[in-house]
Each structure stands twice: as structure tokens, then as C-alpha cells.
């Protein structure tokens, strides 16, 4: 059994919400996306991503697939399908040119969690009072940090910190990351866009999770906190407790 809460908000500075989320409790699938592109193209890209992924999963039920390689192939194909949809849609009209989206997805199966991501939307796990980031940001500054050119602290204030290096729809080919974790009772998974972690530290997320029993209340609290700290971007979060 899991407990789920989710919330999305346009924040205080943006006119539109270009984030999207999709919750499929019967399939144990949870998806967050953050669109990029001019006019309403980012909004279209993120909504297309979650819709295409959800349709793919409904048409090809996951039940019975428990081999890790099979699951990896399944989600790879799922991401390729979504990438093609967005990539081609971006080339059909001038106003959608350059649209793309991040995506982070959680699938729970038995005692395992599978996380798939492209871009800089994140998945965290909170276990035994500690928070860890599961995913790696596909960003220009993260490449600089990994290469030793800049520190984590410098990355936080870098002028190009929001420049993503991988996204759905951005290029013809896609390279998602795939993670597999053993789950424990009381684990909390947090899926979120940069509108949350750009305003709220991982430690603050962990503290709020420790003092909040309901995942719906936690989602609302996190969004409120991000808005209180500036709300400079759209904010989306899904909280899943085992």
C-alpha cells in the first residue's frame, strides 16, 4: 500500500504553468514533467509527455514484467515514443519550434522502485530521517561540477544553471537514466520540478516530511514554502509514501 499526494502551481512570477503531472495509482506509476519553449510550447510539451507515457502504459500493461532488463527496455521504448511525438510536433508549426520537456517517472513493483528521468526534474528518497537525491541533473552546470570546473555552491548561483542538456523532444534520439532501488516501509519518494528544489533545500524538504503524516498535506506545504521563498518558477511535486 502507498499513500500519495501531489500539487502543481504556476508560482509567483510566471504567467502560465508549463509543468505537468500524472498519477496512475492502479499501475503504480507517477510522472512529473517541466516544459520548455516559447509562447505556450512548454506547456504543450509537458502535457504531451505525460499523456503519451500514460497512454503507452495503459495500452501495454506492466503487470507480469519483473525482469530488470525487460523493464528497462519497456521504459526505453516508452520514452522513445514520447520523444518522437514531441520532436515531430515541434517541427510541424513555427510557434512550437524548440519545445521540449524534462520528465521524471517512478514505478513501484513489489519491493522495488524504478526511476526514469531525462532533464533536471528530480527524484528524492527520504529514509530513516535522511534525504538523498536519486536522479542526476542533466544540466550544463552539473557537467561542470562533475568535471571539477566549479563547485556545487558555485553551480547554485551560475548564470546558466537552468540550461538542460537532455530533454524529451529536444533531439531525435533520447538517452534516459534508469535507476532501481529496494524499497522499505515508510520510504517517501519525492518527484519534483526545479521550481521546488530551486527554492527549498533538500534538508527543508526532509524536515517537512518528518513533521507531516499526510502526503497531500506535504505536497501543499512544499509548494507553499517554495512560493514563500520567491516562487520564481512553476512548482510541481508528487509525494509517495510506502
Amino acid at each position: 500500500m502507498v499513500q500519495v499526494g501531489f500539487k502543481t502551481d504556476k508560482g509567483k512570477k510566471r504567467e502560465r504553468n508549463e509543468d505537468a503531472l500524472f498519477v496512475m495509482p492502479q499501475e503504480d506509476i507517477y510522472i512529473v514533467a517541466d516544459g520548455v519553449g516559447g509562447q505556450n510550447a512548454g506547456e504543450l510539451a509537458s502535457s504531451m509527455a505525460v499523456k503519451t507515457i500514460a497512454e503507452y502504459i495503459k495500452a501495454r500493461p506492466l503487470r507480469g514484467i519483473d525482469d530488470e532488463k525487460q523493464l528497462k527496455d519497456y521504459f526505453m521504448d516508452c520514452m522513445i515514443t514520447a520523444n518522437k511525438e514531441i520532436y515531430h510536433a515541434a517541427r510541424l508549426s513555427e510557434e512550437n519550434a524548440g519545445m521540449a520537456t524534462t520528465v521524471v517517472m517512478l514505478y513501484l513493483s513489489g519491493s522495488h522502485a524504478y526511476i526514469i528521468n531525462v532533464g533536471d526534474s528530480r527524484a528524492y528518497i527520504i529514509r530513516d530521517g535522511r534525504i538523498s537525491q536519486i536522479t542526476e541533473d542533466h544540466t550544463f552546470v552539473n557537467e561542470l561540477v562533475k568535471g571539477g570546473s566549479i563547485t556545487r555552491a558555485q553551480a547554485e548561483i551560475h548564470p546558466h544553471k537552468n540550461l538542460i542538456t537532455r530533454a524529451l523532444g529536444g533531439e531525435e534520439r533520447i538517452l534516459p537514466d534508469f535507476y532501481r532501488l529496494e524499497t522499505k516501509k515508510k520510504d517517501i519518494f519525492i518527484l519534483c520540478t526545479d521550481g521546488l528544489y530551486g527554492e527549498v533545500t533538500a534538508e527543508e524538504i526532509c524536515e517537512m516530511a518528518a513533521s507531516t503524516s499526510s502526503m497531500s498535506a506535504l505536497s501543499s506545504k512544499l509548494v507553499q514554502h517554495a512560493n514563500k521563498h520567491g516562487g520564481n518558477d512553476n512548482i510541481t511535486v508528487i509525494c509517495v509514501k510506502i
Side-chain angles (χ1 to χ4, degrees):
M1 285 291 291
V2 297
Q3 191 192 135
V4 183
F6 50 88
K7 192 166 179 66
T8 186
D9 189 87
K10 70 181 180 68
K12 290 189 165 183
K13 307 286 171 72
R14 300 292 174 96
E15 287 179 21
R16 285 187 304 271
N17 192 347
E18 296 191 340
D19 287 357
L21 64 82
F22 209 93
V23 170
M24 304 171 73
Q26 286 185 312
E27 289 85 1
D28 288 311
I29 289 276
Y30 308 91
I31 316 160
V32 163
D34 179 358
V36 293
Q39 297 172 8
N40 69 338
E43 197 174 341
L44 178 62
S46 61
S47 63
M48 277 182 75
V50 298
K51 185 173 178 285
T52 307
I53 291 167
E55 284 172 353
Y56 181 99
I57 290 163
K58 279 180 178 169
R60 301 163 186 80
L62 272 157
R63 295 290 170 238
I65 305 176
D66 50 16
D67 176 75
E68 188 176 338
K69 188 183 181 308
Q70 281 183 303
L71 277 171
K72 203 170 181 176
D73 291 344
Y74 176 98
F75 285 117
M76 186 70 195
D77 191 54
C78 176
M79 289 291 168
I80 288 169
T81 303
N83 188 64
K84 275 182 188 168
E85 291 276 329
I86 300 161
Y87 183 80
H88 291 306
R91 274 139 196 85
L92 286 175
S93 69
E94 243 179 73
E95 62 181 28
N96 293 337
M99 76 173 182
T101 183
T102 71
V103 68
V104 60
M105 171 166 50
L106 167 69
Y107 170 51
L108 295 171
S109 176
S111 61
H112 292 101
Y114 300 89
I115 295 100
I116 304 91
N117 84 294
V118 178
D120 67 346
S121 290
R122 290 179 181 177
Y124 292 96
I125 183 170
I126 299 171
R127 176 180 287 174
D128 301 329
R130 292 182 179 182
I131 188 166
S132 306
Q133 184 179 332
I134 300 165
T135 52
E136 185 177 299
D137 298 344
H138 300 144
T139 59
F140 173 66
V141 295
N142 195 45
E143 292 297 325
L144 293 180
V145 170
K146 280 164 69 183
S149 302
I150 63 171
T151 64
R152 288 263 169 224
Q154 287 170 324
E156 294 294 322
I157 54 168
H158 197 282
H160 301 303
K161 70 172 186 173
N162 295 322
L163 186 65
I164 54 177
T165 52
R166 291 192 225 171
L168 278 190
E171 292 178 17
E172 206 164 358
R173 293 178 182 275
I174 192 69
L175 184 63
D177 284 346
F178 183 88
Y179 302 88
R180 175 180 177 268
L181 283 81
E182 294 268 350
T183 58
K184 283 173 65 177
K185 195 178 175 184
K186 297 187 179 177
D187 280 349
I188 297 174
F189 290 91
I190 309 272
L191 306 183
C192 64
T193 59
D194 61 346
L196 178 72
Y197 69 77
E199 309 285 7
V200 186
T201 67
E203 290 69 27
E204 288 172 319
I205 294 170
C206 192
E207 282 167 19
M208 279 187 261
S211 62
T212 314
S213 56
S214 154
M215 292 301 99
S216 292
L218 178 58
S219 303
S220 295
K221 263 190 192 180
L222 290 169
V223 169
Q224 283 168 11
H225 204 62
N227 273 325
K228 204 165 107 181
H229 282 235
N232 290 294
D233 202 348
N234 307 145
I235 311 146
T236 299
V237 60
I238 299 178
C239 303
V240 183
K241 186 174 187 177
I242 308 293

